[in-house]
Amino acid sequence: MSGKVKVATTSLAGCFGCHMSFLDIDERLIALSELVEFDRTPITDIKEVGPCDIGLIEGGVCNAENVEVLKEFRRNCRILVAMGACAINGGIPAMRNSFDLKECLEESYVHGVGVEDPQIPSDTEIPLLLNKVHPIHEVVKIDYFLPGCPPPADTIWTFFEQLLNNQPVEFTYRQIHYD
Amino acid sequence: MSAQTATELSDLLLKQWNRDPANLLQILIALQRDLNHIPNEAIRYLASELSLPQSVVEGVIGFYTFLHRQPRGHYDLLFSDNITDQMQGSRDRAQQLATALNVDLGATSEDLGLSLGYTSCIGMPDQGPAALINGKTLTRLSKERMDQIADLIKQQTPVDQWPEEFFTVEDNIRRRDILLDTVLDKGAALTSYLSQGPDKLLDEIERSGLRGRGGAGFKTALKWRFCREAKGEDPVVVCNADEGEPGTFKDRVLLQSYADRLIEGMTLCAAIIGASQGFIYLRGEYRYLLEPLQQELQKRRDSGLLGSTIQGHASLDFDIEIHLGAGAYICGEESALIESLEGKRGIPRIRPPFPVTQGYLGRPTVVNNVETFIAAAMIADNGADWFRSRGTSESTGTKLLSISGDCARPGIYEYPFGTSIQTILDDCDATNTQAVQVAGPAGMTLPASEFNRVIAFDDVPTGGSFMVFDHSRNMLEAVQNFADFFVHESCGFCTPCRVGTSLLKKRLEKVIAGHATGMDLEKMIEIGHLMKTSSHCGLGTTAANPILDTIEKFPLLYDERLKTTSFEPAFDLNKALDEAREITGRTDPGAYVEGGGV
């Protein structure tokens, strides 16, 4: 990789916990910023992803917008990474998969405690929900999977260190096992 | 059923089973049978009486498919769902019944007291479609018979008043060789033991080259010798009659028509290793054989061939108890079977120690297949040379095959080891054969180019399952049936198997739906090899076989369904918005996404 490596990140159906964990690399962020340039991320607030070397995806795919964003990342990123449990397996948001979409929406917007004027929202501004929540590798090809809820800062740092130095990505047992 | 009676019944069963925690599974099976479920009162009572945590009792119930915490209907009907049953129309019959009675498959109808569902192969593929009703085996479920059954359920006729022919199980023995053709007089093997003594007889069995008939092929004499020489006290003889490999039914025939020889073989083993206690672990699907087997045991006791002082010798003191399984394929694995015998969840043990040194309750234990015990008894009577007159040098004797699928004469065939697949296909009148699945889903898928291979431990080893597929079949349906089977039967203990089986099933569905690319096949091969090398037991190491075999030997099956793009989503992206579009009524451009891969 010559020059500064371009990195983009996004959170789909996630909780931003993986991004918070990323920030937990603390002062190493400075070292990282020497090596990489951030494209679309919540940090830069750039809205459209451009051609990048690495894309980090947090969260699974739960709605139409997630599909579009994920595909856009795949089109633009040379290496795409599933970061954290939700991106890899669907995680907590996928717990709705054992119910029909209608049941879920009615539980929140019709039968929910304290709901006034109960109705299921329908507005072109709101992305439509998919029938089920999916892990991202079911929608696009993924090159690396970083397990954890969230993956610890050290794991994320090791990943960058090895990838940027063109080394095979390898972790010690404790970095990716949580038992 | 009130709380009091559930407790009373539990109390009765505890007495019958000696208040022994090792008999917990047997007590639970009896409760399920009488109460259609295991009520919480019974769980609490058993836990406290057996000094077990309640979670252990619940854990055992949760493990076995035939145990339930919610009441099943008083008609509990499970259709055998092996691919060979499906090929005989089992799914159509199940649907026919569901429609006739207006109930959902997989659900329980309160009005009719009917639970309807599917279960893994129940060992009747030569006379299917087959099903279990309250644990009893129904065979040859034709459309007409299905109509009759629908009427019987509508009229709420108790199952024991249904026509007897519904429950007829035929042997269908089509080819006999030395094992089935030679007569064994009652007690002849024991007489031989008494005249020759244990050492000489063990040598004779060793010389015969007899290897385990369950599939793994361990030398029987060596196993018995290890157990005989093991340090522990009070060895145990266990017969593995948990014939769960889909497409296998030869042990069922042996248990039904040759039980006396089995008991003789077990008694012989007991005499050699010095055991006084024996078990037959009978798969729950063969529940109908329980009473006949108990009668056989009693007959042997009455003739002085079982119990204390066998044939008048005080040193020969051996009896056999039958334990039932409850719908768990994994319990065919010997260490899982021992766990199950001890009343626990059937999770395979870490080996070593092997059962021969530490098996049932830590005692030295011989576990052998039904066919192995019978062969050992016959060798004791007829000698090693008689046995070696058939087979090859490494695979001596004969093997019983259970043949089903696309052939005119399904049933039991006894062949000398070394017989070619083609010879077998010719004998059972199989024509236009596309593939043969030998040794069940965990075995090998053989294309026509390999029909010259032979049944033998060093070529095509098998526990006895032999399923034939002609060219009218879509082999991917069989592969999918096997993949579903392994997902259901994985015990869940180790991650490579628990997760790997599900990952393979999903990828295979992607192939079948036409969404897969070459990359998906690569992933399947990678996952399959990972399972082979890192699973805890044989189930996990073999579960990927049907997929790996067919990718290698039937590449067209996959290639013609693959997209040429580098990646395709696992599901139809736009269709996945159907429900939301219907709920909101939206039709604007934002309510649609483009399908396909990037």
Side-chain angles (χ1 to χ4, degrees):
Chain A
M1 295 178 185
S2 59
K4 273 199 173 182
V5 171
K6 275 196 124 177
V7 177
T9 76
T10 191
S11 178
L12 306 176
C15 68
F16 276 95
C18 296
H19 275 80
M20 296 306 291
S21 188
F22 185 16
L23 294 180
D24 281 343
I25 64 174
D26 296 333
E27 76 282 1
R28 286 170 292 189
L29 269 173
I30 298 165
L32 187 66
S33 67
E34 300 286 322
L35 300 169
V36 310
E37 183 187 336
F38 285 105
D39 191 78
R40 171 180 170 160
T41 79
I43 307 167
T44 56
D45 210 24
I46 296 172
K47 305 294 187 200
E48 299 288 331
V49 61
C52 284
D53 296 295
I54 303 171
L56 295 182
I57 311 285
E58 168 187 342
V61 181
C62 81
N63 64 28
E65 189 202 17
N66 292 161
V67 173
E68 303 291 2
V69 172
L70 182 57
K71 283 183 154 190
E72 211 42 43
F73 264 71
R74 181 70 274 183
R75 282 188 198 102
N76 282 288
C77 300
R78 212 163 49 78
I79 295 169
L80 204 58
V81 184
M83 177 167 64
C86 299
I88 294 174
N89 289 320
I92 300 279
M95 287 173 76
R96 79 156 157 96
N97 287 359
S98 39
F99 303 95
D100 288 342
L101 180 58
K102 195 153 189 257
E103 287 177 90
C104 296
L105 289 169
E106 284 178 348
E107 184 67 24
S108 292
Y109 296 105
V110 181
H111 310 306
V113 178
V115 171
E116 286 186 26
D117 185 19
Q119 57 177 300
I120 291 173
S122 170
D123 190 307
T124 52
E125 291 286 305
I126 307 172
L128 280 187
L129 293 175
L130 299 178
N131 301 347
K132 301 286 174 207
V133 179
H134 294 266
I136 62 174
H137 67 260
E138 289 188 2
V139 178
V140 296
K141 176 176 184 283
I142 297 300
D143 302 295
Y144 290 97
F145 297 85
L146 272 183
C149 182
D154 273 347
T155 303
I156 297 172
W157 174 249
T158 305
F159 174 72
F160 268 111
E161 225 180 7
Q162 294 176 337
L163 196 65
L164 295 176
N165 288 310
N166 285 320
Q167 290 169 349
V169 177
E170 282 173 2
F171 297 103
T172 58
Y173 185 85
R174 284 286 156 217
Q175 280 183 307
I176 48 164
H177 286 79
Y178 307 101
D179 45 0
Chain B
M1 192 66 60
S2 74
Q4 201 189 1
T5 40
T7 307
E8 277 169 9
L9 185 58
S10 304
D11 206 43
L12 213 64
L13 289 163
L14 278 166
K15 275 192 201 102
Q16 184 191 332
W17 290 97
N18 306 326
R19 297 190 173 266
D20 185 347
N23 293 331
L24 173 63
L25 176 58
Q26 303 310 307
I27 295 171
L28 293 173
I29 290 170
L31 279 170
Q32 172 72 43
R33 189 174 157 77
D34 287 350
L35 305 177
N36 300 328
H37 75 305
I38 297 156
N40 291 332
E41 294 79 8
I43 294 174
R44 278 195 291 272
Y45 187 72
L46 290 174
S48 104
E49 290 296 305
L50 295 172
S51 303
L52 292 170
Q54 209 168 303
S55 59
V56 167
V57 182
E58 289 171 13
V60 172
I61 297 169
F63 186 83
Y64 295 94
T65 310
F66 294 164
L67 300 180
H68 304 273
R69 296 188 60 185
Q70 300 303 322
R72 303 285 291 176
H74 52 264
Y75 297 105
D76 190 358
L77 186 52
L78 297 172
F79 284 87
S80 181
D81 200 32
N82 186 28
I83 184 68
T84 49
D85 290 288
Q86 289 181 15
M87 282 153 61
Q88 294 173 87
S90 62
R91 291 254 166 157
D92 293 342
R93 301 291 189 282
Q95 198 52 57
Q96 181 192 343
L97 188 68
T99 309
L101 296 172
N102 197 22
V103 295
D104 289 331
L105 273 163
T108 296
S109 153
E110 302 274 338
D111 301 343
L112 292 165
L114 169 67
S115 299
L116 211 51
Y118 291 109
T119 189
S120 300
C121 183
I122 64 168
M124 302 288 157
D126 60 331
Q127 42 203 304
L132 296 172
I133 177 101
N134 301 347
K136 283 181 84 173
T137 301
L138 292 162
T139 55
R140 288 179 216 79
L141 295 172
S142 60
K143 283 187 185 144
E144 298 70 40
R145 195 165 278 189
M146 235 46 257
D147 286 336
Q148 286 174 279
I149 288 175
D151 287 340
L152 288 166
I153 292 174
K154 271 186 206 154
Q155 294 151 11
Q156 295 286 298
T157 310
V159 174
D160 55 17
Q161 290 170 28
W162 289 16
E164 225 166 87
E165 68 264 24
F166 286 13
F167 304 101
T168 306
V169 178
E170 308 255 345
D171 277 355
N172 290 332
I173 298 175
R174 312 281 189 189
R175 187 185 194 282
R176 292 164 191 272
D177 210 296
I178 53 171
L179 199 75
L180 299 181
D181 239 357
T182 310
V183 177
L184 180 75
D185 291 331
K186 255 186 194 302
L190 297 176
T191 308
S192 175
Y193 164 83
L194 289 168
S195 65
Q196 294 186 52
D199 293 311
K200 207 161 161 244
L201 197 54
L202 209 45
D203 288 346
E204 191 69 6
I205 295 173
E206 189 162 359
R207 205 167 63 78
S208 77
L210 174 63
R211 294 167 69 170
R213 264 43 184 162
F218 193 79
K219 291 204 162 79
T220 306
L222 199 58
K223 186 184 273 190
W224 291 15
R225 205 183 289 280
F226 282 151
C227 192
R228 181 175 148 88
E229 289 164 2
K231 282 195 192 106
E233 298 282 300
D234 210 358
V236 185
V237 178
V238 176
C239 171
N240 183 347
D242 191 53
E243 183 177 48
E245 196 66 55
T248 320
F249 47 92
K250 50 106 189 164
D251 288 343
R252 181 248 293 164
V253 173
L254 293 175
L255 291 162
Q256 186 161 305
S257 300
Y258 294 85
D260 185 68
R261 294 186 187 193
L262 165 66
I263 302 165
E264 178 110 9
M266 290 178 70
T267 312
L268 174 73
C269 175
I272 289 175
I273 68 168
S276 60
Q277 192 177 15
F279 293 99
I280 295 173
Y281 185 90
L282 181 67
R283 73 186 300 224
E285 290 82 346
Y286 293 167
R287 173 70 181 71
Y288 78 100
L289 288 169
L290 179 63
E291 280 83 22
L293 281 171
Q294 275 164 343
Q295 285 161 17
E296 284 294 325
L297 289 172
Q298 194 52 48
K299 268 193 244 166
R300 301 262 317 175
R301 287 186 198 108
D302 295 344
S303 345
L305 293 166
L306 194 67
S308 53
T309 60
I310 291 170
Q311 289 197 335
H313 290 260
S315 62
L316 290 186
D317 174 4
F318 175 69
D319 212 329
I320 296 172
E321 202 174 293
I322 302 173
H323 271 220
L324 280 170
Y329 166 70
I330 188 62
C331 290
E333 195 278 346
E334 64 173 4
S335 67
L337 184 149
I338 291 171
E339 288 284 299
S340 184
L341 268 184
E342 292 182 1
K344 302 179 201 157
R345 293 163 67 88
I347 290 176
R349 292 178 178 175
I350 290 168
R351 299 179 299 176
F354 290 94
V356 281
T357 55
Q358 285 181 48
Y360 178 71
L361 300 176
R363 291 149 59 184
T365 304
V366 162
V367 183
N368 273 135
N369 177 261
V370 177
E371 191 181 345
T372 313
F373 280 121
I374 291 178
M378 308 277 297
I379 291 164
D381 186 33
N382 297 288
D385 292 330
W386 165 83
F387 193 70
R388 296 190 73 97
S389 71
R390 295 291 191 279
T392 67
S393 60
E394 282 305 301
S395 310
T396 53
T398 62
K399 183 77 196 81
L400 296 190
L401 298 182
S402 322
I403 299 184
S404 64
D406 293 317
C407 63
R409 298 178 345 113
I412 298 297
Y413 291 71
E414 184 188 359
Y415 280 107
F417 273 113
T419 304
S420 76
I421 306 288
Q422 188 59 56
T423 307
I424 298 167
L425 288 171
D426 292 343
D427 287 356
C428 68
D429 290 342
T431 49
N432 198 24
T433 304
Q434 177 184 191
V436 179
Q437 183 74 25
V438 188
M444 292 180 179
T445 316
L446 300 177
S449 58
E450 299 187 28
F451 289 172
N452 57 344
R453 296 180 66 180
V454 301
I455 298 292
F457 290 108
D458 46 6
D459 191 359
V460 182
T462 175
S465 175
F466 193 100
M467 296 185 267
V468 184
F469 301 88
D470 70 19
H471 278 283
S472 72
R473 305 295 176 186
N474 175 1
M475 281 306 288
L476 272 192
E477 282 178 14
V479 178
Q480 187 176 26
N481 177 262
F482 300 155
D484 290 350
F485 169 76
F486 284 121
V487 169
H488 183 254
E489 299 295 347
S490 170
C491 82
F493 173 74
C494 78
T495 312
C497 174
R498 183 186 63 247
V499 177
T501 49
S502 286
L503 290 179
L504 286 181
K505 173 184 152 88
K506 278 194 174 176
R507 293 269 174 179
L508 188 66
E509 281 166 0
K510 195 176 168 186
V511 172
I512 291 169
H515 293 309
T517 67
M519 206 197 76
D520 290 291
L521 284 202
E522 283 169 30
K523 277 283 165 203
M524 284 162 85
I525 293 170
E526 189 185 318
I527 295 166
H529 284 298
L530 183 84
M531 289 165 67
K532 258 185 188 308
T533 49
S534 58
S535 293
H536 175 58
C537 80
L539 192 156
T541 58
T542 56
N545 284 357
I547 287 175
L548 296 177
D549 258 12
T550 46
I551 288 179
E552 190 193 328
K553 294 174 184 173
F554 298 83
L556 269 183
L557 275 183
Y558 293 85
D559 290 351
E560 63 191 13
R561 287 173 177 81
L562 295 186
K563 295 233 163 143
T564 50
T565 45
S566 64
F567 184 91
E568 285 293 321
F571 58 99
D572 186 329
L573 297 176
N574 191 44
K575 213 165 172 288
L577 290 169
D578 277 355
E579 286 178 33
R581 275 194 293 261
E582 198 188 317
I583 296 165
T584 60
R586 277 176 58 183
T587 54
D588 58 286
Y592 300 87
V593 291
E594 205 181 308
V598 176

